[in-house]
Amino acid sequence: MAKRRGMIQHAAETISHGFGYARHLLRGNRVAGDMSWVEPGSRPVVLVHGFLGTRGTMLPLTRRLQSDGKVVFSYHHGMLQLGSLSRSAEELAVKLRGLTESLEIDRVDVVGFSMGGLVALHAVKFLYAHHHVRRLALMGTPLGGTWMSLAGMATVGLVSASVWQVRPGSRFIRELRAAPLPAGVRLRQIHADADALCPDPGPIEGVDRERDYVVLPGGHSSLVIAQPFYAAVREFLDEPDEPARAVLSR
């Protein structure tokens, strides 16, 4: 009986997270919160939203990070991320470089939600964004592709390159998975156990299974709404960097 009540409560929470996500989605891209000044020693966090998303969908994460003293930036990728993920990654790489140069800092941390994680990972692996990124958290990112892309192909496939790129087995996904993670970037995967939109593909190459592969109860929307997922992000960003290994000369 207790198990059944727990399942009902879990389902109710997941549905609630979905409504919360939809409410923030409607806020669109005109969301206040970007800052242009960083205190010495602090490191900004850049948020990258997902498919059919807006900057508004990242507002819960933005508010939590800001309340914990983080400086937060978020960008939108054109009209609901319908365009090519490769193109979006190029734009993100340029923005990351401009951000670090204008603020005169070495690197930033990045959190990519859903398809936004693919954009950020592509920028890091193929577009030299690893020079500007210290840590990358992927939240509900379809690293194995998603069969929900079939619905996208049937509806917006004629105008959207991204729905084809997230098809399981697509060239984009294969090449992204095969490319090595550049040295100096730490990667964390965070997934929801009941995520039907972007199922957990298991840890990819470059992710420490014991330390940086996290699966928590919830659905796709829970990833940016529920507190436990935020805690997994905050822990990741706050952990001190490991000391560089000394190189011994012979």
Side-chain angles (χ1 to χ4, degrees):
M1 188 68 176
K3 182 178 180 181
R4 183 177 181 181
R5 285 198 300 268
M7 293 175 62
I8 294 174
Q9 180 181 359
H10 176 55
E13 290 176 349
T14 300
I15 293 172
S16 174
H17 296 157
F19 281 116
Y21 181 87
R23 178 166 56 87
H24 291 298
L25 172 67
L26 295 176
R27 292 177 180 269
N29 291 312
R30 295 181 179 180
V31 176
D34 284 359
M35 301 178 66
S36 58
W37 176 80
V38 181
E39 294 182 0
S42 65
R43 192 178 302 278
V45 181
V46 176
L47 305 179
V48 189
H49 70 71
F51 179 67
L52 295 182
T54 65
R55 292 177 61 222
T57 60
M58 307 303 282
L59 192 57
L61 285 179
T62 299
R63 287 174 172 170
R64 282 175 169 146
L65 287 165
Q66 288 179 333
S67 68
D68 285 342
K70 296 287 188 180
V71 175
V72 182
F73 293 84
S74 62
Y75 301 105
H76 66 88
H77 319 292
M79 184 180 177
L80 304 179
Q81 187 52 79
L82 293 175
S84 166
L85 299 182
S86 303
R87 178 58 182 168
S88 294
E90 291 174 5
E91 295 174 355
L92 177 62
V94 171
K95 290 173 179 176
L96 292 175
R97 178 179 178 179
L99 185 61
T100 56
E101 290 179 349
S102 63
L103 297 178
E104 298 182 347
I105 57 177
D106 58 346
R107 294 186 292 174
V108 299
D109 292 328
V110 178
V111 178
F113 170 60
S114 193
M115 193 180 286
L118 296 179
V119 171
L121 188 59
H122 185 87
V124 164
K125 285 190 170 185
F126 295 105
L127 302 171
Y128 303 102
H130 64 281
H131 293 303
H132 312 291
V133 176
R134 182 188 70 128
R135 294 186 181 174
L136 171 58
L138 305 177
M139 304 187 73
T141 297
L143 294 163
T146 170
W147 289 111
M148 291 300 295
S149 62
L150 297 178
M153 293 175 194
T155 53
V156 295
L158 292 178
V159 296
S160 174
S162 59
V163 297
W164 299 90
Q165 291 173 312
V166 296
R167 177 180 53 82
S170 72
R171 179 178 179 181
F172 181 88
I173 293 293
R174 294 197 314 270
E175 292 180 347
L176 187 63
R177 291 282 298 266
L181 182 69
V185 179
R186 182 174 162 189
L187 185 64
R188 170 168 286 193
Q189 280 179 249
I190 303 173
H191 296 280
D193 65 354
D195 188 343
L197 293 178
C198 299
D200 171 18
I204 66 171
E205 188 71 24
V207 172
D208 186 315
R209 176 183 288 271
E210 300 300 324
R211 182 176 64 168
D212 288 325
Y213 173 62
V214 181
V215 182
L216 298 170
H220 194 63
S221 300
S222 306
L223 287 146
V224 290
I225 299 293
Q227 171 64 27
F229 292 96
Y230 170 69
V233 170
R234 183 62 200 271
E235 172 197 48
F236 177 61
L237 301 181
D238 285 350
E239 285 185 5
D241 292 327
E242 296 179 353
R245 296 181 179 179
V247 179
L248 301 178
S249 58
R250 294 183 180 179

